[in-house]
Amino acid sequence: MNDKKINRLFSLLAFSLLTPAALAAETPAWNGSVLGFENPQKGLLGDMAGIRPILTDLGFNYNLGYLNEMGYNAGGGYNHDKHLAYIDQLALTFNQDLERWTGIPDARIEGNIVNRNHDDNLTTRRLQDPRVNFNDLSQESWGGQSITRLGWLTFARSFDDRRLTWRIGMMNKVQTFDQIIPCDFQLLSQCGGKSANSLTWNNWNVHTWGTTFEYKLMPTLTLKGGVMEQNPQAASRSHAWSWSTKGSKGVLLPLEIEARPMINDLPGAYNLGVLFTNAPQSDLYYGKSGGPGATDPDGYAQHNRTWFLYGGLNQQVTRHADDPERGMSLSLSGSYSDQRSNYIHTAVAASMRYRGPV
């Protein structure tokens, strides 16, 4: 083999070894800003006269947020009377870093406290017959009552070089599951994913006991699972600050796979989840004797093993040439339930989001 062929061979080998690294370097990092995952903002109150930097130095980070939602019935609906419905909430979400004190990787205490006011929702007041179960809300933050409650208080840490995250305590599903679509809209059906349609666990500001894990199978692929308390009384006023499991009917076993790939150099988020529970769920029609439950002297039949499926996607589809955080994203989410016991058999929602000036 002459020198020219040897040089070509070494050149080809060097190119084959360097190309993956070069391509990886050229691939933009996953940035979810256009998808709705905004970086933390400085905040309206700034550094609060030096208080926030002191707390940050001690490992305490927090977000204090205020939200109000209004809906007006100009005409129509179950009740045709005009009505302006108003609700608001104040939420404190915090995180205390424990790694600096204990040396445990990513050890932290996580908390959420929410104050909701004004039991006034347009869907239940005007749009829909109050005798019928609702499947959507015009103001998603309505909680059925004015109340201050603990949303979650959990301990979390990582293992296996930060590939595994473990969480335990009084928790809410949104800390771990169904996180691919943000709540950009006031309409409940357009607020995040569809996992809440299972009707067996609560959204955001209601806690139950449990433990969950997240394991990164690959940098872009995460497997999530857990064991959580199923408690129909969790949203009641008596449970707002309780650490009791009184009222629990069983356990929830969620399992989800989440992917956050780059497609055509644009970020996306995809998930598919399944939820099992052994908590008794009433049949929608049949009674314990086999006939209609409404006339059965023993009441409606109970199912001790029910399931629920949910999934979705959130994909950036355009990017401005001069600004990677400016562009359009499209989302699609849906759910499919055990139709014996869940009146929301299927649900689908789609949305478009554009970030930045047009």
Side-chain angles (χ1 to χ4, degrees), residues 16 24 265:
S16 65
D265 290 340

Side-chain angles (χ1 to χ4, degrees), residues 303-322:
H303 302 287
N304 294 323
R305 287 184 293 275
T306 57
W307 53 268
F308 178 81
L309 288 171
Y310 64 92
L313 63 90
N314 187 8
Q315 178 64 49
Q316 184 174 342
V317 293
T318 69
R319 172 185 287 148
H320 195 274
D322 300 326

Side-chain angles (χ1 to χ4, degrees), residues 84-354:
L84 175 65
Y86 174 88
I87 60 171
D88 65 11
Q89 73 174 22
L90 186 67
L92 172 65
T93 303
F94 61 88
N95 187 313
Q96 174 61 58
D97 178 19
L98 299 179
E99 182 177 6
R100 64 178 62 199
W101 313 113
T102 65
I104 300 174
D106 296 320
R108 59 193 182 273
I109 298 293
E110 308 159 317
N112 171 264
I113 299 171
V114 178
N115 167 254
R116 283 183 167 174
N117 294 291
H118 311 295
D119 183 7
D120 187 18
N121 187 277
L122 196 65
T123 298
T124 57
R125 290 294 183 93
R126 291 293 185 272
L127 304 182
Q128 185 173 305
D129 187 338
R131 296 169 296 181
V132 179
N133 290 324
F134 60 80
N135 56 18
D136 206 350
L137 288 173
S138 60
Q139 294 143 282
E140 53 81 22
S141 284
W142 175 73
Q145 55 188 322
S146 294
I147 191 172
T148 300
R149 67 164 72 248
L150 177 69
W152 60 77
L153 185 63
T154 53
F155 169 80
R157 62 157 297 176
S158 66
F159 297 89
D160 193 18
D161 196 23
R162 291 181 163 81
R163 283 190 288 268
L164 173 64
T165 298
W166 173 61
R167 178 176 286 113
I168 189 170
M170 295 180 287
M171 61 177 49
N172 186 275
K173 71 178 183 67
V174 301
Q175 292 178 268
T176 304
F177 301 100
D178 207 10
Q179 298 177 323
I180 67 165
I181 301 174
C183 185
D184 279 338
F185 295 87
Q186 182 171 304
L187 197 65
L188 180 61
S189 60
Q190 292 286 4
C191 175
K194 296 293 170 287
S195 58
N197 287 347
S198 71
L199 307 180
T200 54
W201 54 5
N202 297 90
N203 259 345
W204 204 52
N205 69 324
V206 176
H207 68 270
T208 55
W209 283 98
T211 183
T212 62
F213 72 86
E214 304 171 61
Y215 188 78
K216 286 190 175 297
L217 303 171
M218 300 166 53
T220 59
L221 191 66
T222 303
L223 178 67
K224 304 178 180 184
V227 180
M228 300 174 67
E229 172 193 4
Q230 203 290 313
N231 191 337
Q233 303 301 317
S236 66
R237 183 171 293 274
S238 63
H239 196 269
W241 292 91
S242 174
W243 56 29
S244 170
T245 58
K246 183 179 180 180
S248 295
K249 299 299 183 182
V251 297
L252 296 164
L253 300 175
L255 186 66
E256 178 181 322
I257 189 78
E258 178 189 284
R260 297 200 173 195
M262 297 290 292
I263 298 178
N264 294 327
D265 290 340
L266 297 174
Y270 300 76
N271 74 343
L272 179 64
V274 61
L275 179 64
F276 294 97
T277 183
N278 65 351
Q281 305 295 311
S282 294
D283 195 281
L284 296 177
Y285 177 77
Y286 288 106
K288 293 182 178 179
S289 301
T295 57
D296 194 317
D298 295 323
Y300 284 89
Q302 299 289 304
H303 302 287
N304 294 323
R305 287 184 293 275
T306 57
W307 53 268
F308 178 81
L309 288 171
Y310 64 92
L313 63 90
N314 187 8
Q315 178 64 49
Q316 184 174 342
V317 293
T318 69
R319 172 185 287 148
H320 195 274
D322 300 326
D323 187 354
E325 296 190 350
R326 178 178 166 188
M328 179 187 295
S329 64
L330 301 176
S331 74
L332 177 68
S333 61
S335 64
Y336 184 70
S337 70
D338 189 327
Q339 299 185 12
R340 298 173 300 171
S341 58
N342 190 324
Y343 66 87
I344 306 178
H345 293 174
T346 58
V348 179
S351 68
M352 183 274 287
R353 187 180 197 273
Y354 187 87

